[in-house]
Amino acid sequence: MPSNKFCTQCGAATDQRIPADDNRVRDICTQCEFIAYENPKIIVGCLLHWQGKFLLCKRAIEPRYGYWTLPAGFMENKETTLEGAAREAQEEACAESDNLRLFAVYNLPRISQVYFMYTGELKNGFAQAGEETLETGLYAPSEIPWKELAFPVVGETLKRYFDSPNGFHNADIHSQPGKPIEVIDHAL
């Protein structure tokens, strides 16, 4: 069954087939032959720290309502990954940082997402809940609510930071509901 049942160009029905000169099944309009390409979503976020503690946000939206996460979300058009990460920190936690640097890139092929995670110091140690957040908190490593983290990438980012705060990380994260995650590191 096509993921896009109707053509975004003319409204006719679509079907799935491999277009000429392609190698993947695509949704193709049965009338105008428009090909609907679907590409991975880019997620941008921040791991912000202040005096040995780390900013977490309790989600006020689905998926994973009520679970803790790092400020992160979908990148918007016409912004850089850095700008998007800073925007997400502002939107979700009213948080800012003057020294963000790229910390990790994660591929999540099962859900077609690529994460760009930045790290930096939380400006003035200030954060408060934004629109998509129930509450914020600054946690020492020993206080992190590990069993209440919203997504595997959040735990992976925190663990990697605790192990190597000045490194750069690149990995594929494979997960299936109910199974342990598999992380494949890419040496740089």
Side-chain angles (χ1 to χ4, degrees):
M1 168 172 275
S3 53
N4 295 307
K5 293 180 184 181
F6 301 99
C7 177
T8 59
Q9 304 299 303
C10 75
T14 63
D15 65 2
Q16 289 190 318
R17 63 183 189 271
I18 299 173
D21 300 322
D22 200 341
N23 61 4
R24 296 182 188 270
V25 173
R26 312 284 184 184
D27 293 336
I28 302 174
C29 180
T30 57
Q31 294 296 313
C32 72
E33 295 291 313
F34 176 78
I35 302 169
Y37 293 94
E38 290 189 33
N39 301 102
K41 299 290 185 189
I42 298 173
I43 312 298
V44 290
C46 295
L47 171 58
L48 300 177
H49 52 86
W50 175 258
Q51 298 179 350
K53 294 190 174 191
F54 299 87
L55 174 65
L56 294 178
C57 301
K58 187 177 266 193
R59 291 177 60 83
I61 59 172
E62 293 294 350
R64 308 293 284 164
Y65 178 94
Y67 283 83
W68 292 96
T69 189
L70 298 170
F74 293 110
M75 184 176 170
E76 297 289 348
N77 290 332
K78 300 186 181 190
E79 72 181 358
T80 66
T81 56
L82 177 64
E83 291 167 341
R87 176 188 47 77
E88 286 292 339
Q90 178 62 44
E91 287 178 359
E92 294 185 10
C94 303
E96 296 179 0
S97 178
D98 292 331
N99 62 351
L100 291 177
R101 69 172 178 82
L102 186 59
F103 176 71
V105 175
Y106 302 111
N107 301 295
L108 283 73
R110 182 178 70 84
I111 56 175
S112 300
Q113 293 180 349
V114 178
Y115 279 72
F116 288 82
M117 298 302 291
Y118 287 80
T119 186
E121 187 171 328
L122 177 62
K123 190 173 185 177
N124 301 319
F126 177 79
Q128 67 182 26
E131 288 182 10
E132 299 176 356
T133 305
L134 295 171
E135 64 182 279
T136 62
L138 289 171
Y139 292 91
S142 63
E143 301 168 334
I144 301 286
W146 294 103
K147 293 184 189 241
E148 297 173 42
L149 295 180
F151 308 107
V153 72
V154 174
E156 195 62 32
T157 300
L158 288 164
K159 289 175 197 170
R160 286 171 184 270
Y161 187 85
F162 299 154
D163 289 344
S164 179
N166 296 314
F168 174 76
H169 305 275
N170 184 332
D172 297 341
I173 299 176
H174 298 277
S175 64
Q176 295 291 329
K179 295 183 180 178
I181 68 167
E182 177 187 5
V183 179
I184 300 170
D185 277 302
H186 299 289
L188 298 176

